[in-house]
Structures are given as C-alpha cells and as structure tokens.
Amino acid sequence: MRIRAIQIALRYAIKPLACGTLLVCVASLVGCSKMLAPPAIGFEAPVAYTTGGTIPISAQAADFDSDGKMDLAVANQGSGNVAILRGNGDGTLQTAVTYALNSNGSFPVALAVGDFNRDRKPDIAVLNASSGASVPTVTILLNQGDGTFGTPHNITTPASGQSIAVGDLNGDGDVDLWIGAPGKSFLMLGNGDGTFEAPVAYATSPSGTGGGMGVAMGDLNNDGKLDLTASNFLPGTVGVLLNTGNDTFSMPSTVPVLNTPAGMALVDFDRDGNLDIIVTNYNFNSATILFGAGDGTFVRKTFAAAGSLPIAVAVADFDGSGNLSLAFADYGGDGITYVSGLPGGNIDLTYDFPTGSSKFVSPKVSSVVAADFNGDGLPDIAAVNSGENSVAILITKLP
C-alpha cells in the first residue's frame, strides 16, 4: 500500500502544477483542450487503498462504527463482496475488511446506505445483477452496532438492477428502496426490521422503455413527500414520478437530456429552494443540469463538460464558498473532472484531477463520493478506480 501511495505522489510531483489541469471549453461540449492553470481549489495527491477484491464498482461513505470518523463501503463486482474501509479521521483509511454476498456468483453493480432496521446504525444494500447461475438480488447487510455486519440476507428481484437509491417514501419512518432496471424500475417498501415488501414495478417513461441507469429520490414539488427520478439511457430522458401519497406515484413525465444519461444527483444547485437534477451524459462526455421550478417541472437547463465517459457525479460545497461544485467519475479518463460552481447555479472552470497510479492506463473511475475524511469541515473525494482495484482519497486543499 505504501508503494502505491509513493507511486502516485511521484506522479504528481513530476507535474508543473499538482493541483489540477484546466480544461478550456469554447462554446462546445467537445473539443476541450488542456492547459496548466492554478484552480481556485485543489486536492492533495491521491492516496490509493486496495478494496479487498476485484473490479470495485460503487462506494458510499458513512460512519459505520459510530466513532465520529467517516468510513467507506465499496462493492467489488469481480469478487462478489463488499469491503469496509474504516476511516482514521485524518484522511487515511484502514485495511479493507470484506463480506461475501452469496455463494451463487453474486455480481454487484451498485450500493446504497440507510438505516433499514431502525437501530440508528447505517446498514448496506447491495444491488446484484444476474450472472451465470446467479439470480438478480438485493443483499442487505445489517450493521451490528460496531461497524461490523451480520450474515447477508439476499432478496430476489424481478430484474437485474442497474442503480439504487434509498429514502422514506411514505413517511412511515422506514427506509425504502428505489431500484433502476432496464424496462421498468421497481420500488421495495421497507418494514423497519431489515426486510422489505415485494417489489412493485414502475415505468420511468411513457413508453415504458429506457430503464433506470441512475435513480434518485427527492421532493421535487415541495409537498413534503419524496418523488422518484430515473435516467432513461437510450431515449435520452430523465423520468419523473411524483409522489401522490398512499404508496402511489404519478405516471412518468420525461425531460429531454442528451442520449445515454447515467448517474444522477438531486440537489438545490442554484440555492433557490427548489431541487434540481444533475445527470451525466455518458457517451457525450457532458452533464445536463435541470433547474427545478418547485412544482415537479423544470424551468431551464444547462450543460457542463464532464470529462471522458462520465458515469457518476458527486455534488458538494468543496471550498466553503456556499456554492455547489461538481465532481464527475470519468470511466474513460484518468480520474475525476471537477467543475467549479458559481452563485445562481452557474459554473466556472473545469479541471482534471488524476486518481490512478499510471499515466498510461485509465483507472476507470466508476464511482465518486464526497465526504469529509479528515474532519476539517470540507468535503473530500473518494474515487473508485475499478481498473486498479483501489479507491483513491483526495483531500481538499484550499489555495
């Protein structure tokens, strides 16, 4: 591990400016050229930690052991397990402890964190696609109260999922699951004891096609109830299902974005009190920002350059300015693309921050998480390097 960290540090030391590479984009989502320039925010040289398995694909941060320090959970697709890397509170992580998901060839594709049994401890839900002899499932790992997890409980799902989000959709205090899948996505209401009701399918587009490559929950119409969203990959739309109460949802409405939308986030990006949607456009190397009107519709949209094959996005106020910025996981690039935010939901400059150990091989960043790993009050970044079986921690550094 120390060798890996030294290699990455040397790679950054060779560069004239270790803090980032500016992407200059002139009136286009493509044709960006790179030039060295000091950004308004930077990150320490990334330190990589092995994930205890192969092809890590998804990650979430939480304080699993209740010690006040941020930890990391990583789903390893190739080895079919979940790794817990406990945080030391200074930006470093401990050696991964792994949990096998099941014995029939589990193929994890996404991971989410929530309190599924009302004990105030973060539990884990892992979405598994079918592969070989395995059937599609959701694996529930309940926190034992000390950051360790009990025997995995596998729940068969009607289709292979692609994405997962958690939240209390019906206001009963129990955390529910919203799972994106090809064709129709499905909802699983929580019982509050770590179990869930049978899946109920929902189309995320009027045609019933597209599937939820990315899903999220949030109150889009300010009625106090969580609504559902999904990115419809091939139609190139975002589907919106408004919560009508009594465990029911409206027929889906769709908002056009660029084709192949993937990862998404729901945040109040322009700070007007209404939730907005940010979705990556995988094959277009960009992201679409949809600004919410507060009634479930959207008043305008804008685009941002997002690196090469952006598959996921994290949103946070990294520099403490009060403005939200974007960090994209670039599956086809050399790390993350950082887009600096300005007041009113406007965006400023775009920077590239490498996360891998080799400048010749793409780390294939498949997931990105914003969390404060060193306790300084500023969000840092965890980037999952699926091509290197590692997760890289980038500590935020102000100029």
Side-chain angles (χ1 to χ4, degrees):
M1 185 60 60
R2 182 173 177 79
I3 294 174
R4 172 68 63 83
I6 291 173
Q7 287 174 337
I8 296 178
L10 286 175
R11 180 185 173 197
Y12 266 59
I14 292 171
K15 285 192 172 186
L17 283 173
C19 53
T21 301
L22 173 64
L23 304 179
V24 181
C25 306
V26 181
S28 175
L29 293 177
V30 296
C32 298
S33 60
K34 294 185 179 182
M35 61 179 288
L36 291 172
I41 188 173
F43 298 93
E44 301 286 350
V47 178
Y49 300 84
T50 57
T51 61
T54 58
I55 316 181
I57 196 69
S58 180
Q60 291 289 335
D63 182 8
F64 292 111
D65 53 6
S66 301
D67 65 351
K69 303 167 185 176
M70 197 59 65
D71 311 309
L72 201 64
V74 182
N76 290 308
Q77 187 174 90
S79 49
N81 60 13
V82 167
I84 303 298
L85 294 89
R86 296 194 186 190
N88 294 316
D90 59 0
T92 64
L93 302 177
Q94 298 177 23
T95 302
V97 176
T98 59
Y99 297 84
L101 297 177
N102 59 46
S103 59
N104 66 343
S106 181
F107 192 73
V109 294
L111 175 151
V113 172
D115 179 11
F116 302 128
N117 59 352
R118 289 196 175 207
D119 65 353
R120 300 185 180 181
K121 305 293 182 182
D123 309 306
I124 297 174
V126 184
L127 186 60
N128 305 295
S130 60
S131 176
S134 70
V135 296
T137 61
V138 175
T139 301
I140 304 299
L141 292 164
L142 295 180
N143 194 327
Q144 301 299 289
D146 58 359
T148 64
F149 294 83
T151 302
H153 174 56
N154 297 297
I155 306 170
T156 300
T157 58
S160 289
Q162 301 174 131
S163 55
I164 183 170
V166 301
D168 182 6
L169 288 165
N170 55 4
D172 64 354
D174 301 327
V175 177
D176 312 310
L177 306 179
W178 171 230
I179 296 173
K184 291 185 176 181
S185 297
F186 46 95
L187 177 64
M188 299 172 64
L189 295 177
N191 295 316
D193 58 0
T195 66
F196 295 84
E197 296 183 15
V200 177
Y202 286 90
T204 58
S205 69
S207 65
T209 62
M213 188 68 175
V215 292
M217 298 181 186
D219 184 5
L220 293 171
N221 58 352
N222 294 322
D223 65 351
K225 298 188 288 289
L226 296 181
D227 307 305
L228 304 176
T229 63
S231 55
N232 296 314
F233 195 71
L234 292 180
T237 63
V238 169
V240 175
L241 291 80
L242 297 179
N243 192 332
T244 55
N246 298 318
D247 301 337
T248 61
F249 294 84
S250 68
M251 293 295 291
S253 61
T254 56
V255 185
V257 293
L258 296 179
N259 278 339
T260 63
M264 65 163 46
L266 269 60
V267 295
D268 182 6
F269 192 63
D270 56 1
R271 304 296 205 187
D272 67 347
N274 302 318
L275 281 184
D276 311 309
I277 298 178
I278 301 169
V279 60
T280 66
N281 304 307
Y282 184 75
N283 283 343
F284 282 80
N285 300 332
S286 66
T288 303
I289 305 172
L290 301 170
F291 292 93
D295 59 0
T297 65
F298 300 88
V299 294
R300 64 186 177 98
K301 62 183 173 183
T302 189
F303 299 95
S308 177
L309 304 182
I311 197 169
V313 60
V315 188
D317 179 8
F318 290 97
D319 59 4
S321 66
N323 304 316
L324 296 178
S325 297
L326 311 173
F328 296 101
D330 290 339
Y331 192 77
D334 62 355
I336 62 167
T337 294
Y338 178 88
V339 180
S340 180
L342 293 173
N346 295 302
I347 56 175
D348 195 11
L349 301 177
T350 300
Y351 298 90
D352 170 57
F353 290 95
T355 62
S357 62
S358 171
K359 64 181 179 180
F360 302 107
V361 179
S362 170
K364 295 183 178 179
V365 180
S366 56
S367 181
V368 61
V369 176
D372 183 7
F373 292 104
N374 65 346
D376 66 352
L378 294 175
D380 309 302
I381 288 178
V384 176
N385 296 325
S386 65
E388 296 188 352
N389 300 326
S390 70
V391 58
I393 301 298
L394 292 81
I395 299 298
T396 300
K397 178 179 63 175
L398 297 180

